[in-house]
């Protein structure tokens, strides 16, 4: 299970996010950033837990969490397609949010997929997002939603999303989805007794700089 320290961290930031309920550009940005801090901490915890138990392998030299993979692929695999999609569809606000995002993409009101260095639009990638969101395949829908959320995060963190009131048209629905997704991940990790626990038979591992590494072979072992 996740640590008490992590629980307190998440609860504190969830509470802070609830304070941003307005639709001004300032509050929309603040709510997104605040929620993503929680989401980032949780998917990093998931990735580190999987690395400790051998489900994934991190680079041996200067290991770090593969951020994009963790935010999209690992979370998707952990929560499951049906759980994520049904949770969105059972929530009227999230259902509305998915529809709004589809309309914004269809009408090309916003460009979501941008080149991370130049900030130039990638219209073909936006077209793929819309096709997946409109697909009958739940897996493709969830992949597109997680990609949309993470892409908007990248645009904001790398300065490619303008601080303009028009952005609220996209951020209001995206914040609803990010809030729901983060809550789902928090609830699952909080009740998962396999998270944060070393597998049986791994007592020979030692902690080094926060990472679990195999003890080096020594004479006599």
């Amino acid at each position: 299970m996740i640590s008490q320290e992590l629980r307190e961290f998440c609860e504190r930031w969830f509470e802070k996010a609830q304070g941003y309920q307005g639709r001004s550009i300032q509050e929309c940005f603040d709510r997104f950033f605040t929620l993503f801090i929680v989401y980032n901490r949780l998917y990093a915890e998931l990735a580190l837990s999987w690395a400790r138990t051998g489900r994934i392998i991190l680079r041996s030299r200067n290991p770090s969490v593969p951020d994009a993979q963790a935010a999209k692929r690992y979370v998707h695999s952990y929560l499951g397609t049906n759980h994520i999609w049904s949770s969105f569809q059972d929530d009227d606000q999230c259902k509305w949010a998915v529809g709004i995002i589809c309309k914004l993409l269809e009408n090309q009101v916003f460009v979501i997929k941008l080149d991370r260095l130049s900030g130039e639009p990638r219209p073909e990638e936006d077209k793929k997002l819309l096709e997946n969101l409109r697909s009958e395949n739940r897996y493709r829908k969830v992949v597109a939603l997680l990609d949309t959320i993470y892409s908007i995060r990248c645009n904001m963190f790398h300065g490619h999303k303008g601080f303009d009131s028009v952005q609220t048209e996209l951020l209001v629905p995206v914040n609803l989805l990010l809030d729901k997704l983060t809550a789902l991940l928090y609830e699952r990790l909080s009740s998962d007794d396999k998270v944060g626990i070393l597998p049986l038979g791994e007592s020979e591992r030692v902690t080094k700089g926060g990472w679990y590494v195999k003890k080096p072979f020594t004479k006599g072992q």
Side-chain angles (χ1 to χ4, degrees):
M1 293 184 180
I2 61 176
S3 67
Q4 183 60 33
E5 181 273 334
L6 181 52
R7 288 175 186 272
E8 292 174 358
F9 174 90
C10 293
E11 293 292 341
R12 178 175 177 273
W13 283 90
F14 273 133
E15 183 178 354
K16 186 174 181 180
Q18 288 302 311
Y20 301 122
Q21 294 294 333
R23 294 200 172 196
S24 68
I25 185 60
Q26 292 86 355
E27 289 197 85
C28 284
F29 264 71
D30 287 345
R31 183 169 175 77
F32 185 93
F33 283 132
T34 303
L35 287 170
F36 209 91
I37 285 172
V38 186
Y39 187 53
N40 177 262
R41 181 76 186 270
L42 290 172
Y43 67 65
E45 181 71 15
L46 173 64
L48 293 175
S49 179
W50 281 4
R52 289 194 293 266
T53 57
R55 179 164 177 174
I56 61 172
I57 299 175
L58 301 178
R59 294 175 302 174
S60 58
R61 185 176 182 182
N62 298 321
S64 61
V65 172
D67 199 71
Q69 287 190 64
K72 296 185 289 184
R73 289 176 53 196
Y74 298 172
V75 169
H76 189 175
S77 177
Y78 182 65
L79 293 178
T81 296
N82 289 335
H83 182 50
I84 295 173
W85 182 248
S86 62
S87 296
F88 284 166
Q89 288 298 290
D90 290 343
D91 185 311
D92 288 340
Q93 287 189 311
C94 288
K95 193 172 182 179
W96 169 83
V98 173
I100 291 297
I101 292 170
C102 287
K103 288 180 181 178
L104 292 173
L105 282 169
E106 182 180 24
N107 296 327
Q108 300 181 353
V109 178
F110 293 99
V111 177
I112 291 177
K113 301 295 287 185
L114 302 174
D115 183 276
R116 292 186 64 178
L117 293 178
S118 68
E120 290 297 315
R122 298 164 64 193
E124 290 303 313
E125 294 299 314
D126 274 3
K127 184 178 178 181
K128 287 181 184 178
L129 274 183
L130 181 58
E131 289 174 353
N132 286 334
L133 287 172
R134 289 269 170 84
S135 169
E136 294 298 318
N137 185 298
R138 286 186 173 190
Y139 180 85
R140 289 175 60 186
K141 287 176 181 287
V142 172
V143 167
L145 286 170
L146 297 186
D147 192 12
T148 297
I149 292 171
Y150 190 75
S151 295
I152 291 172
R153 171 264 182 203
C154 291
N155 296 344
M156 294 171 75
F157 280 49
H158 295 294
H160 295 319
K161 180 164 285 300
F163 193 72
D164 188 280
S165 59
V166 70
Q167 299 292 344
T168 62
E169 294 181 39
L170 179 60
L171 290 177
V172 167
V174 166
N175 279 340
L176 292 171
L177 299 179
L178 178 58
D179 192 0
K180 172 64 74 173
L181 180 64
T182 305
L184 292 176
L185 185 57
Y186 176 65
E187 290 166 5
R188 174 73 186 279
L189 287 170
S190 295
S191 62
D192 189 346
D193 59 6
K194 295 181 180 179
V195 172
I197 304 298
L198 282 173
L200 293 175
E202 291 298 315
S203 58
E204 78 279 9
R205 291 188 175 218
V206 296
T207 303
K208 181 179 181 182
W211 299 88
Y212 285 91
V213 295
K214 288 283 189 180
K215 282 185 179 180
F217 178 83
T218 57
K219 198 171 182 178
Q221 283 187 310

